[in-house]
Amino acid sequence: MEKDIYILGIESSCDETACAVVRNGREILSNIIASQADFHERFGGVVPEIASRMHVDAVYPTVRDALDKAGLSIDEIDAVAVTYGPGLVGALLVGLSCAKGIAYSSNKPLVGVNHMHGHIAANYLCHKDLEPPFLCLSVSGGHSEIVYVKDYSDMEILGSTRDDAAGEAIDKIARVIGLGYPGGPKMDKAGQSGDINAYKFSHTHMKDSLDFSFSGIKTSALNQLNELKMRGEVPVLSDFAASYQHHIASELVRNVVLAVKMTGIRKVCLAGGVSANSFLRKMVDETSQKEKFDVYYPDLKLCTDNGAMIASAGYFEYIRGVRHGIDLNAVPSLSL
Ligand code: KG4
Ligand code: ZN
């Protein structure tokens, strides 16, 4: 029998300090997340300097908790995986410095992980038999992409946003309608009993392309809110939230269907924070039945940033021999 491989995964690219231990890339032994969201809420978004400082306080206790919960010592870990981009540079540097320190002092290999590979890998933790190739709709606060996942480390972007990410477009409007930060989960909740057809927004479709554009949709939402305000009216919150999310979901799903038709690949995963969205999940489910493709989501807790997804992606890099030196630097705009 082959020896089990244990990866410690560290994530600090935005406002979650997270660390996990994962066995053989698929089984979570611990997954500790220290979220800073409450501290950023009063500023309406992530303040990079505050994020970096809070990561410094949280990173070592988070690592210790992850090892304790897994019941392992650092000596029993095979490699330390860490997000080195994309993300906020100061925030990334904290997790990276911690990972380098642990790897160096305990003489373990260091494996740098692309955060977006991590989001995709969250699916391997939830679907034990899932293997590439598949298509992945990767939608988060900073990214909206349709990715052709050819192999665990070999991916091609088939379409991406030309302006705002889907999560950014949701967070911005959530803030304007008074829901606060982080807007995605709050908007999701607010829209639950709403009418998806109550408000209409503009469409932006690129001809012969799987690219997205969300800034026009965001502007059309802002214009409607302004017009209502000028008339002394307020939107029906649940209807506005439901219609807006339904509209964004339909833009995303439209390109997923196109990608399935273009590639002939009938296996589709969702990844990233926005893949937790109930409007998107419902539409993807309905569409997958109609268009006959299989769909996979990460569990809700694994959609947003976490250490387990980094440990899983790190495992697949580790087994193909990827090792990084102590000179590994943060790459804030690292591409897929
Ligand atoms: O993947 P993630 O945790 O961080 C990035 O890598 O960006 O994604 C965060 C984004 C935020 O825009 C957040 O509002 C959004 O995911 N999000 C959601 C939901 N949960 C998180 N958006 C819509 N509905 C949700 N339920
Ligand atoms: Zn993320």
Side-chain angles (χ1 to χ4, degrees):
M1 216 176 90
E2 283 189 27
K3 180 189 165 297
D4 285 331
I5 292 175
Y6 297 92
I7 306 286
L8 183 77
I10 300 175
E11 155 63 33
S12 71
S13 65
C14 191
D15 62 345
E16 329 276 5
T17 321
C19 185
V21 177
V22 166
R23 179 159 47 206
N24 299 331
R26 301 266 182 181
E27 191 189 342
I28 299 176
L29 301 191
S30 63
N31 191 21
I32 309 294
I33 303 172
S35 179
Q36 310 171 357
D38 292 350
F39 291 87
H40 297 287
E41 186 169 7
R42 81 189 82 151
F43 304 104
V46 178
V47 183
E49 185 57 29
I50 295 178
S52 312
R53 285 166 193 237
M54 293 192 73
H55 283 309
V56 171
D57 289 341
V59 73
Y60 279 101
T62 309
V63 171
R64 197 190 50 228
D65 286 359
L67 285 168
D68 285 353
K69 178 102 192 294
L72 296 175
S73 73
I74 191 66
D75 290 337
E76 292 167 287
I77 295 291
D78 290 277
V80 182
V82 61
T83 306
Y84 72 106
L88 302 168
V89 67
L92 287 166
L93 282 170
V94 178
L96 195 53
S97 305
C98 172
K100 285 184 192 179
I102 294 170
Y104 187 67
S105 62
S106 55
N107 205 19
K108 300 286 174 191
L110 177 73
V111 180
V113 171
N114 183 318
H115 182 79
M116 302 314 293
H117 283 202
H119 275 303
I120 294 169
N123 284 286
Y124 302 132
L125 296 164
C126 304
H127 308 285
K128 307 290 180 212
D129 299 324
L130 176 69
E131 287 178 359
F134 54 80
L135 296 176
C136 185
L137 174 66
S138 182
V139 270
S140 66
H143 290 82
S144 297
E145 283 154 359
I146 295 184
V147 183
Y148 173 22
V149 182
K150 299 175 192 175
D151 206 342
Y152 291 99
S153 308
D154 184 10
M155 309 181 192
E156 182 187 340
I157 297 176
L158 302 181
S160 56
T161 182
R162 300 218 178 156
D163 39 57
D164 295 348
E168 208 177 331
I170 291 176
D171 288 345
K172 175 77 198 285
I173 297 303
R175 195 156 61 224
V176 174
I177 60 177
L179 293 173
Y181 171 87
K186 292 184 176 166
M187 173 97 85
D188 199 344
K189 205 163 156 213
Q192 285 308 310
S193 57
D195 175 1
I196 55 170
N197 296 310
Y199 296 86
K200 300 283 174 219
F201 305 94
S202 65
H203 292 273
T204 318
H205 295 160
M206 256 68 65
K207 200 167 174 283
D208 299 327
S209 167
L210 293 177
D211 284 353
F212 303 103
S213 166
F214 292 107
S215 82
I217 295 168
K218 195 179 72 182
T219 307
S220 103
L222 289 172
N223 287 345
Q224 288 185 62
L225 291 169
N226 280 338
E227 280 165 24
L228 286 169
K229 198 171 169 191
M230 283 191 297
R231 292 203 299 268
E233 296 171 24
V234 286
V236 180
L237 199 64
S238 59
D239 289 351
F240 198 87
S243 304
Y244 188 66
Q245 290 172 97
H246 177 78
H247 188 78
I248 291 201
S250 63
E251 298 286 300
L252 293 168
V253 172
R254 177 183 178 274
N255 282 10
V256 168
V257 172
L258 279 177
V260 168
K261 289 189 174 150
M262 275 167 59
T263 60
I265 298 168
R266 314 203 75 81
K267 197 153 76 171
V268 176
C269 292
L270 263 61
V274 180
S275 66
N277 187 263
S278 63
F279 291 83
L280 177 62
R281 286 183 173 223
K282 184 166 181 278
M283 195 178 292
V284 171
D285 278 341
E286 289 167 1
T287 309
S288 68
Q289 283 173 22
K290 210 164 73 205
E291 299 288 337
K292 306 212 175 348
F293 59 85
D294 295 327
V295 58
Y296 301 82
Y297 318 104
D299 295 346
L300 285 180
K301 203 182 168 200
L302 296 176
C303 290
T304 43
D305 294 347
N306 64 84
M309 69 185 202
I310 301 305
S312 174
Y315 165 83
F316 292 105
E317 296 292 292
Y318 174 78
I319 57 169
R320 74 183 185 99
V322 172
R323 305 287 184 269
H324 285 101
I326 216 77
D327 56 346
L328 178 66
N329 206 351
V331 184
S333 55
L334 184 67
S335 65
L336 204 75

